[in-house]
Amino acid sequence: LCPRGLSGIMLLYDPNRVNVPLKRTNPEKGIGIDPGWKEISWEEALNIIVERLEKIRKEDPRKLLVTTSVVPYDASRIGIAFGSAFGSPNLWMSGAGPHCGNGEHLVSGLMHAAWAKQPDTDYMNYFLNFGTPAGFGAFYGVTAMAQRMADARSRGMRHVVIDPWMGMAAENADEWVPIRPGTDGALALAMINVLLNELGIYDAESIKHHTNGPYLIGPDGYYVRDKETGKPLIWDPLDKEARVYDDPETRDYALEGQYDVQGTLARPAFSLIKEHVKKYSPEMAASITTVPAPTIRRLAKELAQQARVGSTIVIDGKKLPYRPVGVSYFKGPQGHKHSALTSMALEILGEILGASSVPGGMLGLNCRSLGWPGSGLPCFSPKAGPDGLLETESWPLRTKPYPLAEPRMPDSYRFQELIPTSCVTSPLVPLVLLNPDKFHMPYRPEFHFQVGSNYLMTSANPLLVERAFKDIFTVSCSIYLDESTELADIVLPDACYLERQDLWPSYINSHPPIDCWTYQFRQPVVPPMYERRPAQEVMLDIAQRLGILPDIYAVLNTMFEFREPYLLNPRERYTWDEIVDRKYKSTFGPEHGLEWFKKNSPLSWPKKTEEVYWRPFVKARGPIYFELFKRVGEQIEELKNKHDLAGFDTSDFQPLPDWKPCQSHLEERSEFDLFAIYYRVPFQTFSFTYNIPWLDEISRMDPFVYHIAIN
């Protein structure tokens, strides 16, 4: 079992927990300054909070800023519902911070209709792992994937790790390929070049039918569109004419060549990719990455040979494409500047071989469900959105990766309205708070409600965040007194996961990730100790006192997908247990409510072939030519010029990926001859688990946790 799970009991009984509501007595705020905490009653704390919230709601509801964790535990989701019902657009997810997966989640959503991906260890034969922690290629379900990875290795799957650090993944791999930090994109582009221009190996049928590779691109870099329907055009080489991409009469799709269409010389997107990557020779990439050119060619050749382009496999009576290779990446490669460009390059590397959501390839994590046999719910599937591109129905956050909203001048301090590609988290809130006039904000938040995050340590330079928030009245629902609570005026003692009841985000369901659907919930092991209260229940209490509980119920009906007859009635009041009960009954029927799950959880059933390997069953295309980024970038530039906005470099908003240097790559002073990176170990999670003595003991045994490792 994961050591974090085994050590959880020490979180429950940690003597440093916040146990009662606290009120600041020292008006001076700052890092390292004693707030002078005074214990107060819950009633006094709630009265202070409600009085201030009533005042700003009358003046301008936008003056409320709600900060939650990006991890979708229930308090985070209720926090979002609370802010929306209050009337504020300032809903900020700070939790894991912008280093977590901003580039990967965006591009994964566009190309896999999924929050994250996992290798199909049942059928994969060659696993190319770009710096994925723990070596499992898994964002979720690492414990479940450990056995699967071991089984795959035992039957002969080759595991190649490309990583600056020979950590747990690399030291257990078949091969470790060291690479200069932040240069994975250059390596991927060179491998694409080898595949397309030296070996001539790619999955033409997959590119034709499951990507926008055949879409015709004009000299301006945009799709050539049909004048009547506005749909992108392709060229049918058999009938020698242009057709809309979804014309059922199309007999074939051209991937190369140049065609005169409506008076415009147009080329298929795939041919532009093939030409674009020619400049990324293995020799050129070697000078950037430190990976030798012969190694780059060998890795590309191994990947191409193992992909078995054109092969098929029969699973459950269904004949499917068989591509037993995977290209995995997560926090490491995309945790740098130019994150999206790196993610685009790595995704295209796997996509041109057709190794996406088919047997043996990388599987989009739980993005298609045909429902539990008893109710047919939950039911969701990727579908064809605008221009025929993949649109996901299952996405954990409010903003989907596609279709992208048209950029506009923001009315929130998140500023994501201007940059719709930042669909996960926005690091801009502290910057906008410090410069409201520069960003054309006509108001400034006066009340900050913080739940489940240490925003001072995860969003930006802590000193900058301190300056941005020190003058804002802040209420923190927290387990500990930490860096962020040093800026709080009221601290409310939150319940930990062993003291509260939670729904579990259904899009994860990774126990294990491939075989079955698993729906469970988290129930308290003990009642909340001392005066601790679950943050979601506290926010519902405050909403009741403010008179906005009916509005929260309206938001929750949509957020949790309640269905009749279990919709929350705005004229009634529900306990949290009752809300959880209605959620499960709404999905699984009246006999599968809270009491059933308490006795029988989890509810599991086998996944169907067309759910796991959904790509051949869904008529939608993943982009390998990112025309949408070019369009959005130009729209942002127009707004910048119109409103005299400085900053917001849009040079990365391009339709094809390039490698671009990080700041560290531009450092030429001889005394700075090392690159600094950080990494994660599986027995610690971000920051707060360092408080747990058992995990601290493990960390002290391992030389790579608390020490600086120098190559």
Tab-separated table of all heavy atoms in Angstrom, residues 67-73 76 92-96 451-453:
chain	number	residue	atom	x	y	z
A	67	THR	N	-10.582	31.232	-3.031
A	67	THR	CA	-9.431	30.432	-3.449
A	67	THR	C	-9.628	28.998	-2.987
A	67	THR	O	-9.834	28.750	-1.794
A	67	THR	CB	-8.122	30.994	-2.856
A	67	THR	OG1	-7.925	32.322	-3.338
A	67	THR	CG2	-6.931	30.140	-3.272
A	68	THR	N	-9.574	28.072	-3.924
A	68	THR	CA	-9.731	26.659	-3.599
A	68	THR	C	-8.540	25.886	-4.139
A	68	THR	O	-7.691	26.421	-4.843
A	68	THR	CB	-11.020	26.079	-4.211
A	68	THR	OG1	-10.914	26.119	-5.639
A	68	THR	CG2	-12.238	26.871	-3.771
A	69	SER	N	-8.509	24.609	-3.814
A	69	SER	CA	-7.475	23.731	-4.349
A	69	SER	C	-7.888	23.258	-5.729
A	69	SER	O	-9.077	23.095	-6.019
A	69	SER	CB	-7.276	22.533	-3.425
A	69	SER	OG	-6.458	21.569	-4.039
A	70	VAL	N	-6.912	22.997	-6.591
A	70	VAL	CA	-7.216	22.402	-7.884
A	70	VAL	C	-7.649	20.956	-7.717
A	70	VAL	O	-8.322	20.387	-8.581
A	70	VAL	CB	-6.004	22.507	-8.829
A	70	VAL	CG1	-4.919	21.530	-8.445
A	70	VAL	CG2	-6.418	22.299	-10.277
A	71	VAL	N	-7.293	20.338	-6.587
A	71	VAL	CA	-7.761	18.981	-6.292
A	71	VAL	C	-9.252	19.056	-5.983
A	71	VAL	O	-9.674	19.784	-5.089
A	71	VAL	CB	-6.998	18.377	-5.104
A	71	VAL	CG1	-7.523	16.997	-4.792
A	71	VAL	CG2	-5.511	18.324	-5.420
A	72	PRO	N	-10.085	18.315	-6.715
A	72	PRO	CA	-11.535	18.521	-6.623
A	72	PRO	C	-12.192	17.811	-5.445
A	72	PRO	O	-13.131	17.042	-5.613
A	72	PRO	CB	-12.028	17.965	-7.959
A	72	PRO	CG	-11.058	16.883	-8.277
A	72	PRO	CD	-9.730	17.341	-7.747
A	73	TYR	N	-11.672	18.061	-4.218
A	73	TYR	CA	-12.403	17.516	-3.079
A	73	TYR	C	-13.604	18.415	-2.821
A	73	TYR	O	-13.703	19.535	-3.317
A	73	TYR	CB	-11.487	17.326	-1.876
A	73	TYR	CG	-11.230	18.516	-0.980
A	73	TYR	CD1	-11.732	18.528	0.313
A	73	TYR	CD2	-10.470	19.609	-1.407
A	73	TYR	CE1	-11.485	19.604	1.157
A	73	TYR	CE2	-10.216	20.674	-0.570
A	73	TYR	CZ	-10.728	20.673	0.717
A	73	TYR	OH	-10.481	21.739	1.539
A	76	SER	N	-13.623	22.216	-2.203
A	76	SER	CA	-13.256	23.036	-3.354
A	76	SER	C	-14.459	23.278	-4.241
A	76	SER	O	-14.706	24.399	-4.709
A	76	SER	CB	-12.145	22.353	-4.161
A	76	SER	OG	-10.931	22.355	-3.461
A	92	TRP	N	-10.710	31.249	-7.804
A	92	TRP	CA	-9.316	30.959	-8.143
A	92	TRP	C	-8.912	29.606	-7.599
A	92	TRP	O	-9.036	29.346	-6.401
A	92	TRP	CB	-8.432	32.067	-7.550
A	92	TRP	CG	-6.976	31.941	-7.851
A	92	TRP	CD1	-6.398	31.468	-8.981
A	92	TRP	CD2	-5.892	32.326	-6.988
A	92	TRP	NE1	-5.027	31.536	-8.894
A	92	TRP	CE2	-4.690	32.059	-7.682
A	92	TRP	CE3	-5.815	32.893	-5.710
A	92	TRP	CZ2	-3.435	32.314	-7.134
A	92	TRP	CZ3	-4.573	33.151	-5.167
A	92	TRP	CH2	-3.398	32.868	-5.870
A	93	MET	N	-8.443	28.722	-8.474
A	93	MET	CA	-7.911	27.430	-8.043
A	93	MET	C	-6.395	27.551	-7.971
A	93	MET	O	-5.722	27.676	-8.992
A	93	MET	CB	-8.329	26.328	-9.002
A	93	MET	CG	-9.783	25.948	-8.860
A	93	MET	SD	-10.300	24.766	-10.114
A	93	MET	CE	-10.235	25.772	-11.577
A	94	SER	N	-5.879	27.497	-6.750
A	94	SER	CA	-4.457	27.706	-6.555
A	94	SER	C	-3.728	26.424	-6.205
A	94	SER	O	-2.556	26.284	-6.495
A	94	SER	CB	-4.230	28.735	-5.440
A	94	SER	OG	-2.882	28.787	-5.065
A	95	GLY	N	-4.422	25.497	-5.603
A	95	GLY	CA	-3.868	24.302	-4.994
A	95	GLY	C	-2.544	23.788	-5.484
A	95	GLY	O	-1.513	23.981	-4.863
A	96	ALA	N	-2.514	23.101	-6.625
A	96	ALA	CA	-1.271	22.500	-7.095
A	96	ALA	C	-0.395	23.509	-7.812
A	96	ALA	O	0.757	23.232	-8.089
A	96	ALA	CB	-1.581	21.331	-8.021
A	451	VAL	N	-9.886	28.032	0.885
A	451	VAL	CA	-10.247	26.674	1.284
A	451	VAL	C	-9.267	25.682	0.656
A	451	VAL	O	-9.058	25.686	-0.554
A	451	VAL	CB	-11.676	26.314	0.822
A	451	VAL	CG1	-12.031	24.896	1.255
A	451	VAL	CG2	-12.684	27.303	1.368
A	452	GLY	N	-8.632	24.863	1.477
A	452	GLY	CA	-7.887	23.706	0.979
A	452	GLY	C	-6.702	24.010	0.108
A	452	GLY	O	-6.407	23.250	-0.808
A	453	SER	N	-6.001	25.085	0.360
A	453	SER	CA	-4.814	25.367	-0.445
A	453	SER	C	-3.866	26.242	0.351
A	453	SER	O	-4.281	27.005	1.213
A	453	SER	CB	-5.194	26.089	-1.745
A	453	SER	OG	-5.647	27.400	-1.465
